[in-house]
Amino acid sequence: MTILKLNNVSITFGGLKAVSNIDMTVEKGQIVGIIGPNGAGKTTLFNLLTGMYAPTSGEILLYKDNPIKLNGLKPYKITGHGIARTFQNIRLFRDMTVLDNVKIGFHSRTKCGFLSSVIRLPSYYDEEKRVREDAEELLKMLNLDNKKHEFAKNLSYGEQRRLEIARALASEPSILLLDEPAAGMNPNETIELTHLITWIRDKFNLTIILIEHDMKLVMGICNKVYVLNYGNLIAGGTPDEVQNDPQVIEAYIGSESA
Amino acid sequence: MKVINRKTIMLAVVILAIYAVVEMMIGQGIIDSYVELNIVLIGINIILAVGLNLVTGFTGQFSLGHAAFMAVGAYVSAIVTAKFGQPFIVAITLSALAASLAGVIIGIPTLRLKGDYLAIATLGFGEIIRIMALNIDYIGGASGFNDIPKMTNWTWVYFMVVASIVVIKNFINSRGGRACISISQDETAAEAMGVNTTKYKILAFVIGAFFAGISGALYANYFYFIKPDSFGYMKSIDILVIVVFGGMGSIAGSVVGAVVLSLISLFLQSIPELRMVIYAVILFMIMVYRPQGLLGKEDFRFKFLKKRVV
């Protein structure tokens, strides 16, 4: 079942076509990898999917009960529709505790308003209790529960990456976008991360799209891989198909004549 | 759910006890009118600083126009009490609402700006309000607004201070408050986590304006007389200094900052020629040796109350 579809999506910054005419279909429950050399437009594509940029042309459709057109929606609305992300350069709320970071993730799933917070209606206490318990459970799953009162900035690099995933999961997404989750990790951490990604996919019934440079990780867990180069989609298919695609080989290691 | 627990009751008792003791001391003449005047001024500064702290400290929106909201409150209250003879509760309510409305009007266009740009825009807004007050004859223009009935007393000031602290502290420790803090930490990430950043920035701004409006009403109805120059950008900077001095993102810091800075300038009144020099040196020392402010991000916890009852 298709969950996300990109039809002819492009974005230009001035004269630069950062992403051009991308067609992409993502099936529910799959892990989809997006690879490509630096500057190929991978993160730009993520920014389009999460509403940080609006596409210049084309359309992005999210299939839930009805198809929802995502282009032009504000990021917080897209999060509300169930797309959550992590960032390439970790963007945690550094001076907040680990627990509070995850609590913010629940923002789009809670509704306690100004008045009930200020006069402390029973609904405030109920919701706070639920958010705290759910947040603690998420932290336990990601093995961060012993750090929940630490400031996010004091966590190690790998822990910060895990906390970003926990925070994204808190928004109860149906699609999770991971922007270079293994960047800066050592081989052991990368193996752990690989297990974690498949585990959360099954546990939370997610569709995962990830950008990654670690080919072992990508080829190991992705059902489908898309290759971007200079903003164009040059290949898409199973890891095996992509690895043997002449255009991909050329983009990565250059052509023989060069 | 235990909505009213023992900690809340203990806190209420302490709050009422402080009120009763001071009220009695004023009644007995132990606190004379000069000391009372200073208590009122400190209270007004606390309300202003706590409100600005929500905007600047917690939400991270640098505002240099806070005194303008106070001006709106002060003039509205003066008009309502002096020209229409309404009771103070009506005046305070209308002042707060008028200032909030001003907050919405100024917040919607300016809060899309960031950092220095926002500071300059709010500074400009403050000047607009001041110059408008200067040019409207109905409210006295440059010569000021006279004969405002004195209605502010210890009771009003105290309970408004308590209300501002309770409202803002409760807000901060809620879903909305977390959203505001997340904006100050990383606006992009906050939006990606589902926070409607525009809405919460404006909400913080409006709550700050609401309480600044109340403080303006308290000010106008204590001093009989207000003039536009009392609410210029120097006043905005005074409030900002309290917030930074006490600790950005600490409500207790704003309270302590308001009290300490008021006391310092009070004690320095006996040496007028050196007053501003010493005041400046103290500020300088605090910023060099404790840049996070007196209390940093520490805040009221009331753990001691919990311990005593358990």
Side-chain angles (χ1 to χ4, degrees):
Chain A
M1 203 178 84
T2 304
I3 189 166
L4 186 74
K5 200 168 176 162
L6 279 71
N7 288 332
N8 213 12
V9 171
S10 303
I11 184 169
T12 51
F13 298 109
L16 177 76
K17 265 207 156 176
V19 162
S20 55
N21 308 328
I22 302 263
D23 288 306
M24 202 183 260
T25 315
V26 178
E27 301 293 319
K28 192 169 186 320
Q30 289 199 328
I31 298 181
V32 175
I34 295 175
I35 60 171
N38 286 328
K42 304 181 297 292
T43 297
T44 307
L45 186 64
F46 266 27
N47 286 339
L48 286 166
L49 291 178
T50 52
M52 308 227 154
Y53 302 144
T56 319
S57 63
E59 58 176 8
I60 304 169
L61 293 167
L62 174 70
Y63 293 89
K64 290 178 104 177
D65 301 330
N66 297 308
I68 303 163
K69 199 173 168 196
L70 295 182
N71 18 340
L73 289 186
K74 290 260 198 181
Y76 74 90
K77 289 222 163 115
I78 292 182
T79 309
H81 283 309
I83 298 185
R85 74 173 293 176
T86 65
F87 293 90
Q88 183 177 1
N89 44 346
I90 302 174
R91 280 173 169 260
L92 287 168
F93 305 121
R94 295 169 52 78
D95 290 321
M96 296 174 86
T97 63
V98 167
L99 189 61
D100 278 345
N101 266 275
V102 179
K103 281 182 177 177
I104 302 262
F106 284 101
H107 189 87
S108 54
R109 299 288 164 239
T110 46
K111 54 183 189 303
C112 188
F114 174 71
L115 268 185
S116 49
S117 324
V118 166
I119 53 180
R120 297 273 147 115
L121 293 177
S123 64
Y124 164 82
Y125 288 99
D126 292 344
E127 197 177 276
E128 283 294 301
K129 185 162 169 272
R130 185 169 63 81
V131 165
R132 196 184 58 246
E133 287 169 357
D134 290 356
E136 282 174 352
E137 206 186 318
L138 265 177
L139 288 173
K140 210 169 280 171
M141 285 181 206
L142 289 168
N143 207 4
L144 286 165
D145 53 327
N146 54 340
K147 303 265 167 122
K148 66 185 174 194
H149 297 302
E150 299 248 8
F151 285 123
K153 63 180 174 192
N154 295 335
L155 295 185
S156 76
Y157 188 77
E159 287 166 340
Q160 292 195 5
R161 287 251 175 237
R162 285 214 301 280
L163 178 56
E164 262 211 320
I165 295 176
R167 187 179 67 172
L169 288 173
S171 69
E172 296 169 16
S174 44
I175 303 179
L176 178 63
L177 310 181
L178 302 173
D179 198 344
E180 297 201 23
M185 286 191 171
N186 66 36
N188 280 334
E189 286 172 323
T190 308
I191 291 169
E192 266 175 49
L193 180 79
T194 313
H195 294 309
L196 180 71
I197 291 172
T198 43
W199 184 78
I200 56 174
R201 191 255 321 250
D202 299 336
K203 172 88 187 164
F204 295 92
N205 202 5
L206 288 175
T207 306
I208 294 177
I209 306 177
L210 55 90
I211 294 174
E212 191 45 72
H213 285 298
D214 188 307
M215 286 306 142
K216 227 164 93 193
L217 187 151
V218 173
M219 298 306 167
I221 62 172
C222 291
N223 304 98
K224 200 168 184 186
V225 177
Y226 284 101
V227 188
L228 283 177
N229 195 22
Y230 296 112
N232 294 299
L233 201 59
I234 57 170
T238 63
D240 282 337
E241 287 166 10
V242 166
Q243 270 169 308
N244 298 317
D245 190 298
Q247 263 191 295
V248 177
I249 296 167
E250 189 188 322
Y252 270 89
I253 42 185
S255 63
E256 273 178 67
S257 56
Chain B
M1 215 44 235
K2 41 180 199 320
V3 174
I4 300 172
N5 55 21
R6 300 180 74 170
K7 188 178 150 196
T8 319
I9 297 171
M10 284 300 291
L11 200 57
V13 169
V14 170
I15 288 169
L16 287 173
I18 295 173
Y19 166 71
V21 167
V22 176
E23 177 70 12
M24 205 187 69
M25 286 165 86
I26 292 171
Q28 298 284 317
I30 302 169
I31 292 178
D32 59 24
S33 58
Y34 176 67
V35 177
E36 194 192 336
L37 168 99
N38 283 294
I39 291 177
V40 168
L41 275 178
I42 290 174
I44 288 171
N45 280 336
I46 290 175
I47 299 174
L48 286 166
V50 169
L52 183 64
N53 206 341
L54 175 63
V55 178
T56 301
F58 290 101
T59 316
Q61 305 304 308
F62 198 72
S63 166
L64 278 177
H66 209 60
F69 299 121
M70 185 189 180
V72 171
Y75 274 101
V76 167
S77 181
I79 293 167
V80 171
T81 52
K83 304 244 183 199
F84 295 97
Q86 295 297 313
F88 198 33
I89 182 81
V90 177
I92 285 196
T93 312
L94 289 176
S95 298
L97 292 178
S100 310
L101 183 68
V104 174
I105 293 170
I106 183 67
I108 289 172
T110 55
L111 285 173
R112 55 186 77 225
L113 304 172
K114 288 190 168 77
D116 340 5
Y117 306 104
L118 177 65
I120 289 167
T122 50
L123 184 74
F125 160 73
E127 285 303 283
I128 290 171
I129 293 286
R130 188 179 67 85
I131 287 163
M132 269 170 66
L134 271 177
N135 288 295
I136 299 174
D137 289 333
Y138 179 70
I139 53 172
S143 54
F145 196 130
N146 277 304
D147 300 325
I148 305 165
K150 181 173 174 178
M151 291 169 163
T152 304
N153 53 25
W154 159 248
T155 310
W156 277 108
V157 170
Y158 184 71
F159 285 107
M160 287 301 152
V161 167
V162 170
S164 66
I165 293 173
V166 168
V167 167
I168 291 178
K169 183 171 166 49
N170 280 357
F171 176 69
I172 283 301
N173 293 314
S174 76
R175 171 175 176 264
R178 281 195 297 271
C180 287
I181 300 171
S182 76
I183 292 171
S184 74
Q185 296 276 305
D186 188 326
E187 205 173 325
T188 310
E191 187 139 27
M193 288 303 117
V195 176
N196 183 348
T197 50
T198 313
K199 177 182 148 189
Y200 282 99
K201 282 196 276 186
I202 291 173
L203 182 61
F205 213 61
V206 168
I207 299 170
F210 182 90
F211 285 107
I214 290 178
S215 74
L218 294 172
Y219 181 89
N221 290 77
Y222 192 82
F223 291 100
Y224 311 104
F225 168 73
I226 50 175
K227 61 180 196 304
D229 290 340
S230 315
F231 310 107
Y233 71 89
M234 276 315 292
K235 181 66 192 169
S236 293
I237 288 173
D238 280 347
I239 307 165
L240 189 67
V241 166
I242 295 174
V243 172
V244 176
F245 182 85
M248 304 250 273
S250 161
I251 296 169
S254 292
V255 175
V256 172
V259 174
V260 171
L261 285 179
S262 304
L263 290 181
I264 290 174
S265 66
L266 198 62
F267 287 127
L268 292 175
Q269 269 173 10
S270 49
I271 35 170
E273 61 278 7
L274 283 176
R275 183 170 151 240
M276 283 326 283
V277 176
I278 296 176
Y279 189 79
V281 167
I282 291 172
L283 285 182
F284 183 77
M285 301 285 274
I286 285 283
M287 286 301 104
V288 169
Y289 291 106
R290 211 170 152 73
Q292 69 272 49
L294 272 187
L295 295 194
K297 283 194 185 298
E298 283 300 310
D299 226 318
F300 293 122
R301 288 184 209 276
F302 305 113
K303 280 234 175 78
F304 63 98
L305 287 173
K306 219 174 199 172
K307 236 175 245 165
R308 205 176 299 159
V309 290
V310 171

